Amino acid sequence: MMAAERGAALNTLDAYRRDLEDLSARIAPRGRDLQDATTPDLEAALTGMARDGLSSATAARRLSAAKRFYRFLLSEGLREDDPSARLSGPKKGRPLPKILSEADVDALFRAAADRPGASGLRDRALMEILYAAGLRVSELVSLPLAAFARAEQCIHVTGKGGRERLAPLTEAALEAVAAWREVRDGFLPANPAKRAKASRFLFPSKTSASGHLTREQFARILTDLASAAGLDTSKVSPHVLRHAFATHLLANGADLRTVQTLLGHADVSTTQIYTHVLEERLRTLVETAHPLAKR
């Protein structure tokens, strides 16, 4: 149902599968499976999550998956009640996104520029596109060659839920991609069938089943770059760079709606987590520009 009727992305389906499998494993010792679980079974599972040190966000997500699962069972006539109906997830705060400073990002780019050979050209292109367009890592690694549009000034991105957007690229990103394309064929598999599959992607891989660079492979590349740049590798990830993209745009004058569009957020409320940057900029503006601040 999630795939066929709601068009959920593969990553979303995988997340639901993992959450429901974890719930099922926690309920099994009580002698019931997930489909037949009672409200006390679910309460015990949530208690077990807290005891095991799972974050409130993880527990809330798993309860949300359960609620959708039981609504589905009800609609299909497979249950007559919803054991999750009166349950509420643990309270969770909304932490500010982890970001890198502009100096940190510059250090990462210098590290990428210093990498030799064809792999260095690939790594620079990956970094330039990621930071220029604020892509999710899954969007970045699976970019097809056909993503380039409008004389290659933009890339066509298919994001969560199949939503499409155009992401403009900087001149530096376009130059990095052009240099990478000169050596890209060396990263294609030798096997004809695998080569045909991988050739569709901007960042092909000889080893991945998908034909393109995997999220894990890119995460390792980014960790290597962070180490070479002298940064704390535990604080650098693809999503942290996406946060940095949004935060730096806002800090330099972009409005929230523009950032929402560039990030591919369906609702501006998702983008509002970055308003701490706007608030800081407004506070600084008042302190430096307001007439009373000068008295």
Side-chain angles (χ1 to χ4, degrees):
M1 181 275 288
M2 290 295 294
E5 296 179 18
R6 296 186 177 270
L10 286 176
N11 289 342
T12 302
L13 297 177
D14 286 342
Y16 270 101
R17 184 178 295 110
R18 288 193 300 270
D19 289 340
L20 293 178
E21 284 175 348
D22 180 76
L23 278 168
S24 182
R26 292 177 184 278
I27 290 169
R30 297 172 65 89
R32 270 185 285 269
D33 60 27
L34 190 61
Q35 182 169 333
D36 300 322
T38 64
T39 298
D41 293 332
L42 295 176
E43 289 174 333
L46 289 171
T47 300
M49 291 178 203
R51 185 174 57 248
D52 293 344
L54 271 67
S55 70
S56 58
T58 299
R61 192 189 69 235
R62 289 185 178 159
L63 179 59
S64 176
K67 285 178 177 290
R68 186 177 288 273
F69 175 67
Y70 290 117
R71 287 199 298 269
F72 170 76
L73 294 183
L74 276 172
S75 68
E76 295 294 309
L78 299 173
R79 278 195 70 134
E80 296 180 354
D81 67 320
D82 178 357
S84 67
R86 66 180 182 83
L87 296 180
S88 58
K91 299 292 183 182
K92 56 176 183 176
R94 195 175 190 185
L96 293 176
K98 298 176 182 177
I99 63 166
L100 298 173
S101 69
E102 293 184 36
D104 290 339
V105 173
D106 286 342
L108 282 173
F109 275 90
R110 286 195 299 272
D114 289 341
R115 300 194 84 166
S119 293
L121 294 175
R122 178 201 61 193
D123 297 349
R124 181 179 166 231
L126 283 162
M127 292 294 294
E128 289 283 359
I129 294 176
L130 180 64
Y131 187 62
L135 301 187
R136 299 176 179 92
V137 63
S138 57
E139 296 169 346
L140 173 69
V141 297
S142 63
L143 271 176
L145 279 174
F148 288 83
R150 295 184 182 176
E152 300 197 352
Q153 294 300 309
C154 296
I155 49 174
H156 187 273
V157 181
T158 302
K160 283 186 175 180
R163 290 188 294 273
E164 299 179 349
R165 68 186 188 277
L166 281 177
L169 294 181
T170 62
E171 287 297 325
L174 293 171
E175 291 171 6
V177 170
W180 157 241
R181 279 181 157 178
E182 294 291 324
V183 300
R184 173 182 163 276
D185 285 356
F187 289 75
L188 292 170
N191 178 281
K194 291 183 177 180
R195 188 181 184 91
K197 185 176 185 179
S199 63
R200 297 171 40 235
F201 300 104
L202 179 60
F203 298 106
S205 171
K206 293 180 179 180
T207 57
S208 74
S210 63
H212 59 71
L213 197 71
T214 66
R215 291 181 297 175
E216 293 75 18
Q217 287 170 329
F218 176 67
R220 288 194 292 272
I221 290 170
L222 188 56
T223 297
D224 289 345
L225 290 175
S227 179
L231 303 179
D232 184 346
T233 57
S234 68
K235 296 181 180 179
V236 180
S237 71
H239 214 66
V240 166
L241 271 172
R242 178 169 156 89
H243 290 322
F245 160 83
T247 303
H248 297 166
L249 277 177
L250 288 169
N252 286 283
D255 63 86
L256 204 60
R257 286 288 182 183
T258 298
V259 175
Q260 175 197 356
T261 301
L262 292 173
L263 289 174
H265 287 162
D267 195 297
V268 74
S269 63
T270 308
T271 319
Q272 283 174 340
I273 194 169
Y274 298 107
T275 54
H276 69 287
V277 180
L278 288 174
E279 291 165 0
E280 177 65 20
R281 184 153 54 85
L282 288 172
R283 184 183 63 79
T284 302
L285 182 65
V286 169
E287 290 178 352
T288 58
H290 195 284
L292 292 179
K294 298 177 181 178
R295 295 176 61 181

